[in-house]
Amino acid sequence: MKKKVIALLGNPNVGKTSLFNRLTKLNQKVGNYPGVTVEKREGTLVHQDKKYQIVDLPGTYTIYPNSLDEEVVYDTLSDPNGPYYPDLVVVVAEPATLKRAIVLYQQVREMGLPAIFVLNMVDEMVEKGISIDFEALRQLLRTDIYQTNARTGKGIPELIEGLDNEPSLYISSFQVPAKYATALTEAKRLFPLAKEYGTWLYLAKENSKALTSDQRTAILQIRQQHSIAAQQLQRDESLIRNQELEQALEPIVTRGESKALKTTDQIDRFLMHPLVGYAIFLGILLLIFQAIFAWSAPLMDWIDNTFSDFAAYLSVQLPEGPLSSLLTDGIVTGIGGIVIFLPQIVILFIFISFMEETGYMSRVVFLMDRWLRPFGLNGKSVIPLMSGAACAIPAVMSARNIENPKERLLTMLVTPFMTCSARLPIYIVIIGLVIPEGTFLGFNIQGLVLFGLYLLGIVSALASAWLLNIFIKSVHKSYLVFEIPTYKVPDWKNVVTNVWEKSSGFLIGAGKIILAISIILWVLGNFGPNDRFYDAESYVATEQPELEGEELETAVASYQLEHSFLGYIGMGIEPIVRPLGYDWKMGIGLISSFAAREVFVGTMAVVYSLGDDVDIEDDGERATLFERMKNETNRNTGRPAYNFASGISLLLFYAFAMQCMATIAVVKKETGSWKWTLIQLGFMTGIAYIAALVAYQLLK
């Protein structure tokens, strides 16, 4: 039996998501609408052996779309053949913005859709000094009014019972202005079976997807013939409805002194202050940054050790061979490489959800929008950008909170330019090798270079956003039009649900891609095309008979890596990386660090026969690695492999390149498109290659 489709429709900040969570509990899933990156939330409600499909439509102020999110709402409600065309629309309102919600309700009913009206957050009426005559409101809307508080569950059982009620007949009260009567009459001839308001919508909206190409052309000709613009019709309809409702609601809604607004104003004196507001926000960002970077470290270490111990246990228990190695070094290590990011993702989304729930996120958007708007970004972009300095994976995921699709896409594309923590081990090693110790104006030179690399990440992210903003077109122009909500105590159920959605989405969506690439890299590093890989020990013993014990094992591992498929690929790409000042050994490092940037250091340690567990924070082990790398000669140039020119080239390559498969997997999941993922990969790799090439050629 087909489930009844219930669509939740309402303005932003009316508690629609809380209502959705309350109705569906955890029987919900999050994805994208087909072909677009607009978040689709749907869930199932079972009541008295009946199943309902609940669809949480994006928040919208009007039925006329001004953004891609609102376009999805219009398309869903106007296409009877669409998969989410509702059997019932639940229009959700909150007391302070009742009039706006009624406009939406009227438009939906006049489209011919059955709808009921829910006044959510009724508990705030007293604090906001609002009194409503519900019987008079019911007569005005010609439907039952359901009063709910989604946070406590008040009124939810009554609402669920009402999902099967048939809304009463609705008679349109909207009178089309006389100056459009002739144009509307001509349009009605094109759609003789459509309702009058439906035809009005076709006339008032450009490029309606519900129409054929010929019908859109005919509508356009009518507008041109009568010299009317679609926006003009929308504006006139809005004025008429608001004027009528202003009078109609006057005896229904009474407003007194708002305690909630007074409290909010007092808090905003600090949080929205032109100076203090930014200082507080920077302090909160610092706290988030510290939490992602430092608080997650013990958990990440625990996960890392647990998977390492489990892999070691399996390697002892299972018979030696390729299958055992695949399970321990490929699959278990690959899964560990996915789960290890979970603490950072959970911590970041706890903070973001808390800011959203309390209403502070709207203040952040207001504060930062003016600074980021010239680069095509959104005020909310500051969270992903700053979080990217810790790890790009949760940072890219946090861009989901940006409503505008173009600004969300731009943020996801440029966030990986920010210097993440995985780049730090590479920077420490290369700076230590090629940048002389000493001071400049009292500052440590190596420290200044490291600071410059972090600064370079910020500049390149903003510059790339500015450049991409020119080429990426948006159908809808973005304006900063939103409502600053009053402060609220967070709904912890919403916080937990949001964190769960993001965490499970990462594990399932991005995890499978990361695991697949991990296994591919394992195969490349653990198999070779000839006996030099499989009989490495005999070759090493012949060439270096003085080695024994651990030194022999380390030398064999290095020899095997050199003659593995990964090693031969490193040699194969040598003509490509040679102009950058690199040899084939560096090429292996570039390829292997695709798993994660920090793998470069471990790979170099194996190549130089030090073993793959070199601790870069240990002074002795770092000094040994530095000594081997300093003495290494580039066979192409005959010069030290790590000289000033090649070192700067390498630093710039890692500053710009997308050398992280986990980030790639997350971008694919969040954009829902390989197209943008590959464009980002090519864009960043291209910039990295050119920057490294120019630097080496100028400095060599």
Side-chain angles (χ1 to χ4, degrees):
M1 183 178 176
K2 182 181 180 295
K3 287 185 285 190
K4 189 172 183 177
V5 179
I6 310 290
L8 302 185
L9 176 69
N11 301 152
N13 299 316
V14 296
K16 195 162 56 66
T17 300
S18 295
L19 192 63
F20 173 77
N21 290 336
R22 183 65 70 170
L23 290 172
T24 61
K25 299 178 181 174
L26 288 179
N27 299 316
Q28 55 180 262
K29 58 182 179 181
V30 179
N32 284 338
Y33 283 92
V36 294
T37 56
V38 176
E39 189 174 82
K40 172 171 63 68
R41 297 164 60 85
E42 60 175 306
T44 302
L45 165 68
V46 181
H47 177 65
Q48 294 180 347
D49 298 328
K50 290 182 181 176
K51 284 189 176 181
Y52 304 87
Q53 183 180 7
I54 312 293
V55 180
D56 185 13
L57 294 173
T60 180
Y61 290 105
T62 173
I63 205 69
Y64 296 108
N66 291 309
S67 69
L68 191 55
D69 290 39
E70 293 176 347
E71 187 84 45
V72 164
V73 175
Y74 177 83
D75 291 342
T76 302
L77 299 179
S78 63
D79 182 8
N81 299 316
Y84 302 106
Y85 186 72
D87 298 301
L88 178 71
V89 179
V90 177
V91 179
V92 186
E94 65 102 7
T97 57
L98 185 61
K99 188 173 66 177
R100 275 208 310 255
I102 294 177
V103 170
L104 207 53
Y105 171 80
Q106 289 177 334
Q107 291 176 317
V108 168
R109 292 305 305 266
E110 287 164 21
M111 289 173 74
L113 288 159
I116 59 176
F117 197 83
V118 172
L119 188 68
N120 192 32
M121 300 159 66
V122 288
D123 56 310
E124 296 185 2
M125 287 175 57
V126 176
E127 280 193 0
K128 291 180 177 177
I130 298 173
S131 175
I132 298 175
D133 182 342
F134 284 98
E135 177 54 30
L137 183 62
R138 190 187 66 78
Q139 291 180 14
L140 175 69
L141 303 186
R142 301 184 185 93
T143 187
D144 290 333
I145 311 294
Y146 295 89
Q147 301 175 51
T148 63
N149 179 359
R151 292 174 178 242
T152 63
K154 179 184 176 183
I156 300 298
E158 291 81 1
L159 172 61
I160 293 174
E161 290 290 341
L163 295 180
D164 279 332
N165 293 346
E166 287 294 327
S168 58
L169 181 66
Y170 186 87
I171 300 171
S172 173
S173 60
F174 174 60
Q175 296 295 320
V176 174
K179 58 184 177 182
Y180 303 127
T182 308
L184 183 62
T185 301
E186 292 177 18
K188 286 166 71 174
R189 293 194 191 106
L190 298 172
F191 312 101
L193 300 179
K195 290 179 177 294
E196 182 173 282
Y197 186 69
T199 308
W200 166 263
L201 285 179
Y202 294 146
L203 201 59
K205 182 184 179 306
E206 292 178 339
N207 302 318
S208 177
K209 290 181 183 175
L211 303 181
T212 64
S213 174
D214 290 341
Q215 289 171 328
R216 282 198 291 269
T217 303
I219 286 289
L220 177 63
Q221 288 173 345
I222 292 174
R223 282 201 296 262
Q224 290 174 339
Q225 187 179 346
H226 293 274
S227 302
I228 54 177
Q231 293 76 12
Q232 181 185 351
L233 275 65
Q234 296 173 21
R235 188 171 57 249
D236 286 351
E237 179 188 342
S238 176
L239 286 172
I240 291 169
R241 288 189 187 277
N242 277 281
Q243 285 171 356
E244 288 179 350
L245 281 175
E246 195 74 42
Q247 294 178 358
L249 288 175
E250 193 172 349
I252 298 175
V253 180
T254 308
R255 295 179 186 274
E257 185 182 359
S258 172
K259 295 177 184 175
L261 201 56
K262 197 174 177 181
T263 305
T264 293
D265 287 343
Q266 289 173 341
I267 298 174
D268 276 344
R269 286 181 188 173
F270 298 96
L271 297 188
M272 300 283 278
H273 189 275
L275 294 176
V276 178
Y278 285 103
I280 293 174
F281 176 55
L282 286 176
I284 292 173
L285 270 184
L286 183 64
L287 177 65
I288 295 175
F289 187 77
Q290 283 294 309
I292 295 173
F293 208 50
W295 297 0
S296 64
L299 280 172
M300 295 178 76
D301 289 343
W302 179 80
I303 292 170
D304 191 27
N305 291 333
T306 301
F307 275 90
S308 297
D309 291 345
F310 184 55
Y313 172 78
L314 287 179
S315 66
V316 171
Q317 299 299 320
L318 297 174
E320 197 171 330
L323 193 60
S324 169
S325 179
L326 170 63
L327 188 63
T328 57
D329 299 331
I331 295 176
V332 174
T333 304
I335 294 173
I338 301 164
V339 179
I340 198 169
F341 294 110
L342 210 51
Q344 292 183 326
I345 291 170
V346 169
I347 289 173
L348 176 61
F349 279 101
I350 286 175
F351 276 102
I352 289 178
S353 301
F354 184 82
M355 291 163 70
E356 292 271 10
E357 284 290 313
T358 56
Y360 181 62
M361 186 62 87
S362 298
R363 275 79 181 173
V364 171
V365 175
F366 180 81
L367 287 172
M368 295 306 301
D369 198 78
R370 71 174 72 174
W371 303 108
L372 294 175
R373 184 67 60 182
F375 302 99
L377 300 173
N378 182 292
K380 286 186 179 179
S381 301
V382 72
I383 300 292
L385 290 175
M386 295 304 294
S387 302
C391 179
I393 295 156
V396 169
M397 292 178 68
S398 67
R400 276 220 161 210
N401 293 281
I402 301 171
E403 290 82 6
N404 183 283
K406 180 184 174 183
E407 292 163 355
R408 182 166 63 238
L409 178 63
L410 279 177
T411 304
M412 287 190 286
L413 292 181
V414 305
T415 292
F417 278 114
M418 299 296 288
T419 301
C420 67
S421 57
R423 288 180 169 105
L424 197 55
I426 302 171
Y427 289 168
I428 290 174
V429 170
I430 304 301
I431 288 174
L433 281 171
V434 303
I435 304 299
E437 296 180 1
T439 59
F440 177 73
L441 297 176
F443 294 98
N444 182 287
I445 295 176
Q446 292 183 338
L448 286 175
V449 173
L450 186 60
F451 173 74
L453 287 167
Y454 272 82
L455 200 61
L456 184 62
I458 298 171
V459 172
S460 56
L462 293 177
S464 301
W466 178 82
L467 186 65
L468 290 169
N469 185 42
I470 296 173
F471 294 101
I472 298 176
K473 301 299 179 188
S474 176
V475 176
H476 301 283
K477 200 165 183 176
S478 173
Y479 301 97
L480 182 63
V481 179
F482 68 100
E483 183 183 356
I484 300 285
T486 55
Y487 289 107
K488 301 182 185 72
V489 176
D491 185 339
W492 294 108
K493 287 184 179 177
N494 283 353
V495 173
V496 171
T497 303
N498 192 37
V499 171
W500 166 257
E501 281 176 4
K502 298 299 185 295
S503 306
S504 58
F506 166 75
L507 285 177
I508 298 169
K512 55 190 178 188
I513 300 175
I514 299 171
L515 181 61
I517 298 177
S518 296
I519 293 173
I520 291 171
L521 285 175
W522 173 85
V523 170
L524 293 175
N526 285 272
F527 292 93
N530 53 46
D531 64 341
R532 287 185 175 273
F533 177 86
Y534 300 102
D535 295 329
E537 187 169 349
S538 60
Y539 279 97
V540 173
T542 304
E543 294 174 8
Q544 303 178 72
E546 73 281 4
L547 296 180
E548 58 183 16
E550 191 174 333
E551 285 186 342
L552 178 61
E553 288 181 13
T554 306
V556 169
S558 174
Y559 194 87
Q560 278 190 314
L561 180 61
E562 179 182 346
H563 294 91
S564 66
F565 286 112
L566 193 63
Y568 283 108
I569 291 174
M571 295 179 208
I573 67 168
E574 194 174 45
I576 300 172
V577 299
R578 189 182 299 140
L580 311 184
Y582 313 155
D583 61 8
W584 67 271
K585 294 179 181 178
M586 293 178 177
I588 293 178
L590 293 182
I591 296 170
S592 63
S593 63
F594 190 69
R597 293 181 179 94
E598 62 270 31
V599 173
F600 177 83
V601 176
T603 305
M604 288 298 98
V606 172
V607 170
Y608 300 126
S609 303
L610 293 175
D612 59 358
D613 54 353
V614 168
D615 184 358
I616 200 63
E617 294 179 0
D618 183 281
D619 292 340
E621 294 187 18
R622 185 170 68 236
T624 305
L625 178 62
F626 278 15
E627 191 63 28
R628 294 285 178 88
M629 293 176 81
K630 279 181 179 176
N631 293 331
E632 182 68 18
T633 301
N634 186 324
R635 68 177 184 180
N636 301 316
T637 63
R639 299 173 57 198
Y642 296 93
N643 54 55
F644 182 74
S646 65
I648 296 295
S649 169
L650 208 51
L651 286 173
L652 289 176
F653 186 87
Y654 274 104
F656 294 122
M658 172 68 106
Q659 289 290 102
C660 178
M661 65 177 180
T663 306
I664 291 172
V666 166
V667 171
K668 160 66 178 63
K669 175 182 173 294
E670 293 300 308
T671 61
S673 158
W674 276 113
K675 171 191 163 188
W676 288 113
T677 308
L678 295 175
I679 286 175
Q680 182 189 43
L681 179 63
F683 180 69
M684 292 186 70
T685 306
I687 292 177
Y689 189 89
I690 293 171
L693 175 67
V694 171
Y696 179 73
Q697 296 300 326
L698 290 176
L699 298 174
K700 70 178 180 180

